[in-house]
């Protein structure tokens, strides 16, 4: 009904929502109803209340299919799986009520003996899927091969831990007790499985205790886009010096950076990128300054490109693009109107020597780096807050890697 009312205002060109709880889905609805209107809101998107789905009810195996029912018992609200060492093969317990595509799974469990796995995106036949090993390895049952074969997180028997699997598109993150054990930015397999069932597997001689097992469905990513900020913590980022400032994630899921004194403070991405489209939902406090660097390899010198944001007053934002080569060379500067504490969309598109910067969907600068051969063609992303008078905030950071020589659509 609200959309129908808004469609009456066909000549509306600007709509600003202040102090309003709003979701990305609502914004998309408004944009469809008012295609010629610029829509802004003061604050990051506020998602609906998280809805976790308990897969185990603490009473029985409702919703599950057990390959060997005798291997599973329930005692005091806890699920216990035990397979004798004399068993001829592994056995599985599959959640059959629903298939999951993009999801966040939490499992509070411990292995008292032996070895087991959690499988996800398993097809109905049970032959294809991905298999998570508690020591950090990931296995593809479709190809009978490890996607990640390093034991990055050796586990301890008879120790309870909270294990998490966060899968969005081809990007998968694995955690144990809130610490990331493995981050796969993209699973590159011809037969990549986008959705499927969740399954627990026991090997002979294994005893596992499952206290809770729950899942939350996540909104699908746009094709090709990989989130660099998960809205919860600094997974995927490194801090080199913890004494010169602070990068935190607040209760609303906003990443905020502040520095001490007049010394800038940085946050470094763990992964490097070559040709890409980077987009962020960003905020700079009035009078504050911050910079986003791309293609940086700190150990080899800051030979990259910086996009500096300076909120000059309560009404103006200055955007400067510069090369970090010694000496630093300014490539261009532009200004736009910006309200105090207003959030804006910043995009950086790097493809070969071509660099394009967009602000709220409008191209502000396009550069061809004349000294491209002196820059790194590939490197990390660095977020930098300038000083103690500045706060640089992000509610979204995501990236899409581009094939070399391509030009992204407008």
């Amino acid at each position: 009904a609200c959309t129908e009312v808004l469609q009456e205002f066909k000549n509306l060109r600007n709509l600003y929502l202040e102090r309003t709880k709003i979701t990305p889905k609502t914004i998309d609805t408004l944009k469809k109803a008012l295609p010629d209107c610029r829509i802004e809101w003061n604050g990051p998107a506020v998602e609906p209340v998280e809805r976790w789905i308990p897969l185990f009810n603490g009473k029985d195996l409702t919703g599950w299919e057990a390959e060997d029912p005798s291997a599973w018992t329930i005692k005091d609200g806890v699920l216990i799986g035990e397979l004798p060492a004399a068993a001829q093969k592994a056995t599985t317990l599959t959640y059959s009520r629903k298939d999951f595509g993009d999801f966040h799974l939490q499992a509070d469990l411990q292995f008292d003996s032996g070895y087991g796995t959690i499988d996800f995106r398993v097809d109905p036949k049970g032959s294809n899927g991905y298999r998570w090993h508690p020591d950090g390895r990931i296995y593809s049952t479709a190809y009978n091969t490890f996607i990640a074969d390093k034991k990055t997180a050796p586990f301890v028997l008879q120790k309870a831990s909270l294990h998490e699997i966060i899968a969005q598109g081809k990007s998968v993150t694995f955690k144990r007790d809130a610490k990331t054990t493995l981050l796969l930015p993209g699973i590159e397999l011809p037969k990549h499985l986008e959705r499927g069932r969740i399954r627990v597997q026991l090997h002979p001689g294994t005893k596992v205790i499952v206290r809770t097992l729950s899942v939350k469905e996540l909104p699908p990513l746009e094709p090709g886009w990989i989130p660099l900020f998960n809205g919860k913590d600094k997974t995927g980022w490194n801090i080199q010096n913890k004494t010169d400032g602070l990068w935190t994630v607040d209760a609303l899921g906003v990443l905020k950076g502040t520095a001490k004194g007049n010394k800038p403070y940085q946050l470094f991405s763990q992964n490097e990128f070559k040709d890409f489209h980077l987009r962020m939902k960003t905020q700079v406090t009035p009078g504050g300054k911050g910079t986003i660097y791309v293609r940086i390899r700190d150990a080899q010198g800051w030979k990259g490109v910086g996009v500096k944001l300076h909120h000059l007053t309560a009404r103006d934002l200055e955007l400067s693009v510069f090369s970090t080569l010694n000496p630093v060379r300014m490539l261009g500067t532009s200004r736009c109107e910006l309200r105090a504490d207003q959030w804006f969309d910043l995009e950086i598109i790097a493809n070969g020597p071509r660099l394009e910067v967009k602000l709220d969907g409008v191209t502000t600068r396009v550069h061809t780096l004349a000294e491209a051969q002196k820059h790194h063609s590939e490197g990390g992303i660095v977020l930098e807050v300038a000083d103690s008078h500045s706060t640089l905030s992000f509610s979204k950071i995501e990236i899409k890697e581009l094939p070399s020589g391509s030009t992204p659509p407008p």
Side-chain angles (χ1 to χ4, degrees), residues 6 46 109 134-136 143 177 276 285 320 333 345 388:
L6 286 171
V46 178
L109 55 85
D135 59 14
Y143 290 88
D177 295 330
F276 58 85
T285 50
S320 305
T333 302
D345 292 312
S388 60

Side-chain angles (χ1 to χ4, degrees), residues 25 31 37 41-42 120 139 167-169 181 185 258 317 343 407:
K25 184 177 180 180
K31 287 181 178 179
C37 179
W41 71 97
N42 185 18
F120 60 98
Y139 189 82
Q168 279 193 291
T181 58
T258 56
L317 175 72
W343 288 82
T407 301

Side-chain angles (χ1 to χ4, degrees), residues 258-369:
T258 56
K260 295 180 180 179
N262 294 319
K263 187 176 181 179
Y265 192 54
Q266 297 91 14
L267 191 64
F268 298 80
S269 69
Q270 292 178 355
N271 293 323
E272 296 186 346
F273 304 94
K274 186 175 183 180
D275 296 327
F276 58 85
H277 185 169
L278 174 70
R279 62 187 185 188
M280 300 164 279
K281 175 72 75 173
T282 314
Q283 183 193 63
V284 187
T285 50
K289 293 177 287 185
T291 303
I292 293 90
Y293 295 93
V294 297
R295 291 176 175 170
I296 292 292
R297 286 184 177 174
D298 188 44
Q300 302 178 34
W302 287 63
K303 297 178 181 179
V305 177
V307 178
K308 183 178 181 180
L309 308 168
H310 187 183
H311 202 161
L312 297 169
T313 68
R315 302 292 295 181
D316 293 306
L317 175 72
E318 182 179 79
L319 188 149
S320 305
V321 182
F322 61 94
S323 167
T324 63
L325 292 177
N326 191 11
V328 172
R329 184 164 62 90
M330 187 63 64
L331 301 177
T333 302
S334 56
R335 288 192 182 187
C336 66
E337 183 177 318
L338 188 71
R339 299 181 183 88
D341 297 327
Q342 178 182 328
W343 288 82
F344 55 91
D345 292 312
L346 178 67
E347 299 175 70
I348 302 174
I349 306 168
N351 204 336
R354 185 180 186 275
L355 183 81
E356 180 179 359
V357 180
K358 290 185 176 183
L359 193 66
D360 284 336
V362 178
T363 298
T364 59
R365 311 295 307 181
V366 177
H367 303 282
T368 299
L369 304 175

Side-chain angles (χ1 to χ4, degrees), residues 183-194:
L183 171 63
L184 293 177
I187 296 175
E188 299 300 334
L189 293 176
K191 295 180 181 179
H192 168 68
L193 299 170
E194 295 183 350

Side-chain angles (χ1 to χ4, degrees), residues 214-241:
S214 57
V215 67
K216 176 180 66 176
E217 294 189 90
L218 302 176
L221 295 173
E222 294 181 54
W225 288 96
I226 299 172
L228 298 185
F229 169 52
N230 62 15
K232 295 184 178 181
D233 53 40
K234 297 185 289 293
T235 296
W237 298 85
N238 291 328
I239 296 174
Q240 290 190 345
N241 186 339

